[in-house]
Amino acid sequence: MSDIAIKFENISKQYRLGSIGTGTLSHDLKRWWTINILKKEDPYLKIGQVNDHDDKNSDGIIWALRNIDLEVEQGEVLGIIGKNGAGKSTLLKILSRVTTPTTGRIMAHGRIASLLEVGTGFHPEMTGRENIFMNGSIMGMTKAEIRSRFDEIVDFAGVAKYIETPVKRYSSGMTVRLGFAIAAHLEPEILVVDEVLAVGDAEFQKKAIGKMQDVSRSKGRTVLFVSHNMNAVRSLCSSCIVLKNGQVIFNGGTEEAINQYINVDPMKTDDIINFISYKSPELKIDSISVNGSQSNYLHLESDNTLLDICIEGYLESEKVLTVEVEMFDVNNNRVAFYGPGMVNGILPKFQIGAFNLNEQIVIPKNLAGGLYYLDINITHPYIAYYLKVTRCLQIEYIGYQFASGQNDYKLRGYFILDSAK
């Protein structure tokens, strides 16, 4: 048997906005004949049209997916990421047979359990118990098999008190918990989970991600996971695809996919001063540089982690000025903070006229390699902000090199802790 669990071949999905049909019976018949018999493209589609939701000149036809060719291996946890409207949910709905593709086909080996929307697969008038048995039966399981997993499903979902209550009376969080518990515990070969997990609380999301990891690693199940939570994608997925306007624009490693999704582009440079988001009227800024360069891109090796920040300008009234720096990762998680005025109480006062602020910061050598961003601010700590320069410097840090030659510890945290021995 092949190791390929799912194979997408030239999958496209077309939707017509507004009224259905071309407007005339003859054109409808011509479209049907061309697409279904001649196996050619829709003759009424404009040349070069794509699924661009911002295009106000659309003729009413949208390609939600276009020419998707993809193979997913058995036991793989594939993340599917992209902006709203990119085609993620449509792809999963076609795989789950909720809708059919306009062109192409999908070959899947094994049973598929899907959690696409709140209440997917539930009958609202039936109790939680009845819905568990109904879903199990749909997946081809016997009553004995469902009974053997029933208690585990109810315990995981945390709905034991309400299991004899119709699910129409469940909250959205309870519905999602039960839906996921059913999908994960009835042992499908392929588990499909959309962003619906975001409805659950933080504790359940952590529990669900742990269950999906267990299903994939210990039982060799295939998982397709859609989420806008990049931390969840990073911790769960072994690989990712990025969708844009219904097309796959990247297929590869998780970290590279996340960078692609958030439009990280180390070569796109500008001057730091152009990232000023706020400036006090009493302040004029002539230049901002880091390590002698005014560019917003900086490459650092682990043997040289110095940041020499220099801000020159003119002050129109006497002020206390200190430099504060915040470091963020690509997911906007705050990684580090520098503020001598706030931390050490160093509050230099500047007179009216030209000023030069210079701070030298050392980034810890044991910081995980990757892309980071800096905010550079001028403040009077706890009193006022005079300058905010937001996400003004992109740092590509190579990171500390293991003796083994590996450099993958970004998956384990931001810093490597030293031994006291």
Side-chain angles (χ1 to χ4, degrees):
M1 181 178 175
S2 173
D3 290 334
I4 302 300
I6 311 169
K7 186 174 183 179
F8 298 85
E9 291 186 351
N10 194 34
I11 293 294
S12 297
K13 180 62 178 179
Q14 180 194 91
Y15 289 105
R16 173 169 285 277
L17 306 179
S19 59
I20 306 300
T22 60
T24 67
L25 178 60
S26 62
H27 287 176
D28 285 346
L29 290 172
K30 182 179 179 181
R31 167 180 280 170
W32 179 86
W33 182 266
T34 304
I35 294 175
N36 296 285
I37 304 301
L38 301 181
K39 303 298 182 183
K40 295 182 178 180
E41 192 174 74
D42 185 350
Y44 297 99
L45 181 67
K46 288 184 178 179
I47 296 175
Q49 186 174 1
V50 297
N51 177 23
D52 187 351
H53 293 262
D54 295 324
D55 182 9
K56 296 181 180 179
N57 297 318
S58 171
D59 66 352
I61 294 176
I62 286 292
W63 284 97
L65 294 172
R66 196 69 186 267
N67 303 328
I68 303 294
D69 290 295
L70 178 68
E71 291 183 349
V72 185
E73 296 182 359
Q74 183 178 345
E76 182 178 355
V77 182
L78 178 70
I80 303 174
I81 57 180
K83 296 180 180 179
N84 290 332
K88 306 182 299 298
S89 295
T90 302
L91 185 64
L92 297 190
K93 286 179 179 178
I94 292 174
L95 174 62
S96 305
R97 300 175 185 174
V98 174
T99 187
T100 57
T102 303
T103 65
R105 63 173 183 166
I106 297 177
M107 291 178 287
H109 300 282
R111 297 175 299 181
I112 300 174
S114 304
L115 188 60
L116 303 179
E117 299 174 358
V118 177
T120 297
F122 284 164
H123 192 297
E125 299 295 337
M126 296 169 65
T127 66
R129 178 186 296 275
E130 291 167 339
N131 273 287
I132 292 174
F133 277 89
M134 180 185 71
N135 277 268
S137 299
I138 291 172
M139 293 181 65
M141 301 178 68
T142 66
K143 280 190 176 181
E145 289 176 317
I146 299 170
R147 286 196 191 98
S148 67
R149 297 177 178 87
F150 181 84
D151 291 340
E152 191 177 357
I153 291 171
V154 174
D155 181 64
F156 188 93
V159 294
K161 184 177 180 180
Y162 312 100
I163 199 64
E164 305 298 346
T165 303
V167 296
K168 68 179 181 181
R169 306 196 189 283
Y170 286 16
S171 68
S172 58
M174 291 168 59
T175 305
V176 167
R177 292 202 305 271
L178 183 58
F180 179 85
I182 293 172
H185 286 82
L186 294 184
E187 298 188 355
E189 281 71 33
I190 300 169
L191 178 61
V192 178
V193 181
D194 205 339
E195 183 64 23
V196 67
L197 280 187
V199 176
D201 56 32
E203 180 183 357
F204 178 74
Q205 288 182 34
K206 183 177 179 180
K207 194 175 177 181
I209 289 173
K211 181 63 179 178
M212 285 188 282
Q213 289 174 331
D214 177 65
V215 164
S216 172
R217 293 171 184 172
S218 64
K219 300 181 180 180
R221 311 296 186 185
T222 304
V223 179
L224 272 65
F225 181 58
V226 168
S227 180
H228 290 288
N229 184 337
M230 293 301 105
N231 288 328
V233 171
R234 181 181 284 112
S235 64
L236 176 64
C237 301
S238 54
S239 60
C240 282
I241 63 170
V242 182
L243 290 177
K244 182 179 181 181
N245 294 335
Q247 296 179 307
V248 176
I249 62 170
F250 181 86
N251 183 0
T254 301
E255 199 65 38
E256 294 85 351
I258 292 173
N259 291 342
Q260 179 78 27
Y261 166 61
I262 61 176
N263 295 320
V264 172
D265 185 2
M267 302 309 296
K268 187 177 181 180
T269 59
D270 200 349
D271 289 341
I272 295 174
I273 199 169
N274 292 329
F275 291 84
I276 293 176
S277 57
Y278 170 76
K279 183 179 70 65
S280 168
E282 301 173 282
L283 207 64
K284 292 182 179 179
I285 301 298
D286 296 325
S287 69
I288 305 173
S289 65
V290 178
N291 291 358
S293 171
Q294 297 185 25
S295 170
N296 70 317
Y297 174 71
L298 181 65
H299 178 90
L300 287 181
E301 304 279 351
S302 58
D303 58 352
N304 181 15
T305 61
L306 177 68
L307 296 180
D308 186 359
I309 299 174
C310 182
I311 305 175
E312 296 179 345
Y314 187 89
L315 192 59
E316 295 188 349
S317 63
E318 185 180 275
K319 297 287 184 187
V320 169
L321 300 180
T322 67
V323 174
E324 292 181 0
V325 177
E326 294 177 284
M327 177 182 282
F328 299 84
D329 69 5
V330 294
N331 296 311
N332 287 327
N333 296 311
R334 185 178 283 104
V335 177
F337 171 79
Y338 173 82
M342 186 179 296
V343 176
N344 303 320
I346 301 173
L347 302 173
K349 183 174 288 188
F350 289 79
Q351 305 300 319
I352 296 174
F355 70 87
N356 184 314
L357 283 170
N358 182 246
E359 295 289 346
Q360 292 187 332
I361 303 171
V362 177
I363 294 177
K365 292 184 178 181
N366 59 349
L367 176 69
L371 290 166
Y372 297 93
Y373 295 89
L374 292 190
D375 283 7
I376 300 175
N377 305 316
I378 297 178
T379 77
H380 183 167
Y382 301 109
I383 302 297
Y385 277 90
Y386 300 119
L387 179 71
K388 293 183 179 182
V389 197
T390 306
R391 304 299 190 275
C392 62
L393 182 67
Q394 179 177 279
I395 300 174
E396 183 182 18
Y397 181 54
I398 297 304
Y400 182 81
Q401 300 295 314
F402 285 177
S404 62
Q406 300 298 318
N407 191 28
D408 62 349
Y409 57 90
K410 181 65 176 291
L411 300 174
R412 299 175 176 86
Y414 290 111
F415 296 96
I416 296 299
L417 300 179
D418 292 328
S419 170
K421 297 180 180 179

